[in-house]
Amino acid sequence: MGRVSGKAVVITGAARGQGRSHAVRLAQEGADIIAIDIPFDPGVTEYPLATAEELAETARLVEKAGRRAVVRQADVRDRAALRAAIDESVAELGRLDAVVANAGILPIGAHRPIDAFTETVDTNLTGVLNTVHAALPHLGEGGSVIVTGSAAGLMPGHGDVAQAGSGFAAYKYAKRSLVDFVNTLAVQLGPTGRRINAVHPTNVDTAMVQNEVMYRAIRPDLESPTREDAEQGFTSMHSIAVPYVDPSDVSHAVVYLASDESRYVTGLHLKIDAGALVKAGL
């Protein structure tokens, strides 16, 4: 306990899923949390997205762990609104030590219009850049930037699998672009004592994966695939025989990267992928 005691961390996409898990785990280890999310039109994703009530529940869980929670609704695609939310929250807490750029979407499926591509890039790439750039002025020496990437972004190809569609192509593009962003910014931040790293999960047991649209993309051979049907396809991706990892598996890595335990770690791409990449020969 206490691995990030006294630190303040901003997390985007904090209302549920990985973001909530990171918030709670960091709070359990002593951090105060700035939780940012916004109700989002689910039209492009076709699976339900976060609600204001879920964001409030994240705050409740952080406070239950004995830490302060500052909640802000802000769209990561809107740099000015995001900067204002972070500025106000840091003023309230009095400091910022780490940022977890986590918000993202995955509108998968061949039936998607090109809007699925543009919305995904705007959220998963531009949204991360906006988050990091808005937080950097508040991060002093020892500050940590943590980017949520994806095992998909470390795999070759451009997401042109027929059933995956333009949304998945954009997802891969955004996550692949973040690899170079992390590598480049790590060199620039190094002389200031600040650092940036990325976590790259495989499928995570969240609403992004657990939805009917994803099940159909994984099992196009079935008319109405179930969660159990899709798990066979998910498991086949991994060298460790699990269909997906738990959000907490990623949160453990986030705590390490936010803590002083990793004070000399920068430019790291930490795979939490159940062996998906090594199975693919990567």
Side-chain angles (χ1 to χ4, degrees):
M1 300 294 288
R3 294 166 67 195
V4 288
S5 181
K7 294 184 182 292
V9 184
V10 61
I11 304 170
T12 60
R16 65 180 192 184
Q18 290 188 58
R20 175 185 286 176
S21 177
H22 302 341
V24 173
R25 186 74 190 90
L26 285 162
Q28 290 170 342
E29 290 290 348
D32 293 328
I33 303 298
I34 300 167
I36 297 178
D37 214 319
I38 193 168
F40 194 99
D41 179 4
V44 69
T45 63
E46 295 182 5
Y47 61 83
L49 293 173
T51 66
E53 291 75 18
E54 287 172 320
L55 184 57
E57 175 64 8
T58 295
R60 188 191 71 79
L61 292 170
V62 167
E63 291 168 350
K64 182 180 178 181
R67 304 308 304 176
R68 295 179 65 187
V70 176
V71 171
R72 291 288 186 274
Q73 290 192 20
D75 189 336
V76 295
R77 298 171 297 179
D78 184 338
R79 174 82 65 88
L82 187 59
R83 181 185 293 116
I86 291 175
D87 289 350
E88 293 167 4
S89 300
V90 173
E92 185 171 340
L93 288 180
R95 63 185 297 160
L96 185 67
D97 301 279
V99 53
V100 184
N102 170 75
I105 59 172
L106 175 53
I108 201 165
H111 61 289
R112 308 284 186 173
I114 198 62
D115 286 358
F117 186 95
T118 57
E119 290 280 0
T120 302
V121 171
D122 287 348
T123 303
N124 294 13
L125 178 55
T126 305
V128 170
L129 303 185
N130 287 343
T131 301
V132 174
H133 296 173
L136 276 177
H138 299 287
L139 293 175
E141 184 174 358
S144 175
V145 177
I146 303 162
V147 169
T148 300
S150 171
L154 299 174
M155 293 180 176
H158 297 286
D160 52 359
V161 179
Q163 67 267 23
S166 63
F168 183 64
Y171 185 87
K172 281 180 64 74
Y173 167 74
K175 300 300 187 180
R176 187 169 62 246
S177 298
L178 290 173
V179 173
D180 195 42
F181 174 69
V182 168
N183 292 344
T184 303
L185 189 54
V187 175
Q188 301 304 310
L189 290 179
T192 70
R194 295 174 291 178
R195 52 206 176 79
I196 179 170
N197 299 284
V199 291
H200 295 281
T202 182
N203 307 307
V204 183
D205 190 9
T206 67
M208 180 183 285
V209 166
Q210 304 297 1
N211 62 79
E212 293 180 0
V213 184
M214 177 65 80
Y215 300 158
R216 289 196 296 272
I218 296 297
R219 294 298 305 272
D221 55 310
L222 300 177
E223 182 176 349
S224 300
T226 64
R227 173 175 176 147
E228 290 71 26
D229 294 326
E231 284 182 351
Q232 299 174 29
F234 289 137
T235 302
S236 69
M237 299 168 55
H238 303 140
S239 58
I240 298 175
V242 294
Y244 28 71
V245 300
D246 190 81
S248 65
D249 295 312
V250 187
S251 298
H252 296 318
V254 168
V255 169
Y256 167 69
L257 293 172
S259 77
D260 293 339
E261 297 166 10
S262 59
R263 60 181 178 164
Y264 298 132
V265 177
T266 194
L268 175 68
H269 295 278
L270 181 52
K271 299 178 292 182
I272 308 162
D273 68 340
L277 287 156
V278 292
K279 185 173 183 177
L282 302 169

